[in-house]
Amino acid sequence: MSIQIFNLVLKKTTSYVGPYAYGDVITFDITVYNQGNIAANNIGIADYLPNGYRYLPVNNTTWTYANGVASTTINTVLAAGDSTIVSLQVEIIPNGGMDAWYNIAEITDATDGDGNPIVDIDSNPDSDPDNDGDIENDVTDGTNEDEDDHDPHNIEVFDLALIKQLAPNQTSPVFVGSVVG
């Protein structure tokens, strides 16, 4: 009889690398891998959306949203060695700060293929995005004690502002061909 290993891994990506602009709708693809040797089911996923994103309920019919957290459950059996993808669409909105578009998705809970509670061998599924060790993006092997059941993602947003004004001593109106200085 072999030892039963339950090990789910989550990786979050986008298909387009950006840069993005305000009003763009972005799709996050969240892949859950079953790296164990037993089936998994009832896999809860949470995506913690910062203020730089607007949740779009009509685009996310299998998700719920409350208090900045989008949640869904994969309620089909995920066989050992298999993977599945769930997608989440959000709109990019203006928001100051370096972390306005940095967000984390993680596995919040899961059962074995028969619906029984089970312990993951190398991570603790929960609803706390801040307790998963030193974060390593797209790592699925626990590097630096990063729990492999969560993954961050950050996007670049192109935000250019330009204000054009007349010099303090410039007379108005200005016509095509006028020298402005």
Side-chain angles (χ1 to χ4, degrees):
M1 175 184 249
S2 66
I3 297 174
Q4 291 190 332
I5 298 173
F6 189 79
N7 185 17
L8 296 180
V9 175
L10 181 144
K11 186 175 178 183
K12 181 177 184 174
T13 59
T14 57
S15 57
Y16 177 68
V17 295
Y20 297 93
Y22 301 137
D24 286 352
V25 173
I26 183 172
T27 300
F28 290 115
D29 290 322
I30 300 166
T31 306
V32 176
Y33 302 90
N34 185 345
Q35 292 183 340
N37 61 10
I38 60 174
N41 198 355
N42 304 310
I43 304 164
I45 308 279
D47 196 311
Y48 306 97
L49 297 174
N51 293 331
Y53 296 112
R54 176 178 293 124
Y55 178 76
L56 302 170
V58 295
N59 295 25
N60 300 298
T61 57
T62 62
W63 292 79
T64 60
Y65 181 78
N67 302 317
V69 181
S71 303
T72 193
T73 300
I74 301 168
N75 54 15
T76 56
V77 174
L78 183 60
D82 208 354
S83 66
T84 189
I85 298 173
V86 292
S87 297
L88 174 67
Q89 289 191 332
V90 293
E91 180 183 359
I92 299 167
I93 59 175
N95 195 312
M98 295 302 293
D99 292 332
W101 302 282
Y102 177 85
N103 71 323
I104 295 172
E106 75 175 326
I107 297 172
T108 58
D109 54 12
T111 63
D112 69 12
D114 295 325
N116 301 308
I118 193 159
V119 176
D120 192 293
I121 193 168
D122 64 357
S123 56
N124 297 308
D126 61 26
S127 299
D128 183 352
D130 299 319
N131 69 344
D132 295 301
D134 293 330
I135 295 175
E136 297 284 336
N137 190 27
D138 295 338
V139 170
T140 59
D141 64 0
T143 300
N144 292 332
E145 297 180 23
D146 169 32
E147 289 191 25
D148 60 6
D149 70 345
H150 87 291
D151 199 34
H153 198 77
N154 196 27
I155 63 166
E156 286 186 25
V157 175
F158 183 74
D159 181 13
L160 175 66
L162 174 67
I163 297 175
K164 194 173 186 178
Q165 298 178 340
L166 292 175
N169 59 353
Q170 182 69 47
T171 59
S172 181
V174 177
F175 300 100
V176 174
S178 296
V179 177
V180 222

